[in-house]
């Protein structure tokens, strides 16, 4: 049964791949599974029909027969449970890869999202210039720790996993701020992720939506 | 093999159960598994021996034979995979419970942590009074959505799960701000969680550390 995901009708990032449907598209491409996309407007995301799928009024959602899911990482995890290629089979390695999924979302992403939000919501506030350095310092602190752990490795723990997939999408959000530039091994890690055929297909698909050229 | 977790030698919350070892203790109590605790100082958390366990220098960590894990939610998930009682067996219900784990950490927690951090880091800044309302509005937005979805239900999706466990620990962090008071069903949900025998045993154990009375 082909699942249906939701995505922005008009992505605020103009097709740069920062919207969270990208994570799900990429996971599906990595495991070679087809999917349908239903585009939703910002107005539609706040209506009962969409809130029934996701109580927080966000994209992406997942519909597969009777199963409805929300939260991009939970959908990636569901895909990884159903299809080989995103999580190791061996139990300990699998638990460690899942730890990187949570680390990406709960430890590395929050300061990066905070940095983005400051740029969007507080740019015209009188305290912007004074507050920004502290927010950026919190991002650098996490990036430095991540960089130190990654070292010269290709991926975070052995073969590419759903943990790398999520971490790469988190780092993508940091790149426009320039903060990633101080960590060459993280830039190279991100470039390796972006070079994966599955990433490229997913990126092209979401860009085609923005450009109005999707099938 | 009895696992060993790490916890603060001196918890900044003075034993109120807000430190993230509480999640792991509670999960272990729910499934009836014993555990050992190694207390770490703030200085020790920044040293190589601890960074080898958790590259981000946080507690809790998990050591079980050769397996080392970090990220409280990943450890809770690992416990739920090994022992019955924290995730449904049926595949769809299990995926939905996991979605609530990610929703707790990635959608509900970030604005709540931001609110806490503003109170700690920005209380003496000239913009504190002006910025606080916007931060609190972001917390209320998420709490209102969660409250609407929960409705009159006991738990988020059927029986108590690891999703409820994590969501309850996230709501606990919001309670000191008073923002939870506007949502009686969330207060009742949290009270139900705190009344669970497993929660009470875990709370007592972490409080005993703070009081210096642990066995």
């Amino acid at each position: 049964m082909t699942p249906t995901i939701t995505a922005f009708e008009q992505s605020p990032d103009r097709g740069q791949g920062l919207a969270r449907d990208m994570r799900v598209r990429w996971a599906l491409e990595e495991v070679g599974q087809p999917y349908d996309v239903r585009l939703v407007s910002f107005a539609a995301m706040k209506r009962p029909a969409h809130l029934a799928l996701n109580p927080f009024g966000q994209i992406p959602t997942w519909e597969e027969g009777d199963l409805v899911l929300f939260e991009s990482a939970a959908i990636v995890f569901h895909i990884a449970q159903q299809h080989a290629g995103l999580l190791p089979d061996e139990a300990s390695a699998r638990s460690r890869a899942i730890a990187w999924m949570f680390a990406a979302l709960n430890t590395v992403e929050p300061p990066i999202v905070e940095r983005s939000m400051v740029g969007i919501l507080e740019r015209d506030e009188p305290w912007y210039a004074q507050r920004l350095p502290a927010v950026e310092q919190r991002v650098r602190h996490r990036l430095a720790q991540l960089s130190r752990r990654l070292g010269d490795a290709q991926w975070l723990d052995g073969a590419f996993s759903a943990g790398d997939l999520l971490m790469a999408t988190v780092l993508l959000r940091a790149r426009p701020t320039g903060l990633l530039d101080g960590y060459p091994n993280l830039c190279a890690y991100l470039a390796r992720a972006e070079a994966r055929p599955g990433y490229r297909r997913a990126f092209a698909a979401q860009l085609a939506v923005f450009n109005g050229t999707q099938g």
Side-chain angles (χ1 to χ4, degrees), chain A:
Chain A
M1 182 181 309
T2 305
T4 298
I5 69 169
T6 49
F8 289 127
E9 196 175 73
Q10 285 279 323
S11 184
D13 77 341
R14 307 180 57 85
Q16 289 174 72
L18 302 182
R20 287 181 173 79
D21 58 299
M22 180 66 196
R23 294 169 174 173
V24 175
R25 292 175 185 270
W26 184 9
L28 287 162
E29 294 289 353
E30 288 283 342
V31 301
Q33 291 296 311
Y35 60 100
D36 293 327
V37 182
R38 191 173 65 250
L39 302 179
V40 291
S41 66
F42 292 113
M45 287 166 63
K46 309 304 167 201
R47 290 195 201 114
H50 189 78
L51 292 171
L53 304 179
N54 181 343
F56 302 105
Q58 298 175 315
I59 60 96
T61 56
W62 174 270
E63 293 159 87
E64 183 190 14
D66 289 340
L67 176 62
V68 172
L69 292 177
F70 61 101
E71 289 290 325
S72 57
I75 299 170
V76 169
F77 183 77
H78 176 74
I79 294 165
Q81 292 278 78
Q82 291 183 305
H83 305 283
L86 286 170
L87 285 173
D89 287 330
E90 192 272 315
S92 288
R94 196 174 181 92
S95 287
R96 290 199 308 271
I98 292 167
W100 281 111
M101 295 180 70
F102 282 106
L105 297 183
N106 204 228
T107 296
V108 181
E109 185 173 79
I112 291 173
V113 168
E114 187 185 17
R115 171 61 189 83
S116 305
M117 296 306 281
V118 168
I120 296 168
L121 300 177
E122 301 188 12
R123 190 171 284 280
D124 298 327
E125 299 289 357
W127 62 75
Y128 176 74
Q130 207 183 333
R131 187 166 176 271
L132 188 63
V135 174
E136 294 204 326
Q137 189 45 42
R138 288 200 279 278
V139 177
R140 274 193 215 96
H141 180 60
R142 289 296 178 222
L143 293 179
Q145 291 172 319
L146 182 66
S147 171
R148 222 171 293 133
R149 170 55 71 101
L150 179 65
D152 293 328
Q154 290 267 310
W155 306 111
L156 289 167
D157 192 340
F160 177 83
S161 79
D164 293 297
L165 187 153
L166 293 180
M167 190 65 83
T169 62
V170 165
L171 296 182
L172 275 170
R173 290 185 76 109
R175 193 164 52 187
T177 65
L179 292 170
L180 208 58
D181 298 343
Y183 309 93
N185 67 335
L186 297 183
C187 294
Y189 170 80
L190 190 49
R192 271 191 296 280
E194 291 179 294
R196 293 179 72 86
Y199 178 91
R200 295 164 70 120
R201 286 192 296 272
F203 186 89
Q206 61 82 40
L207 183 60
V209 171
F210 184 78
N211 288 336
T213 56
Q214 88 278 14

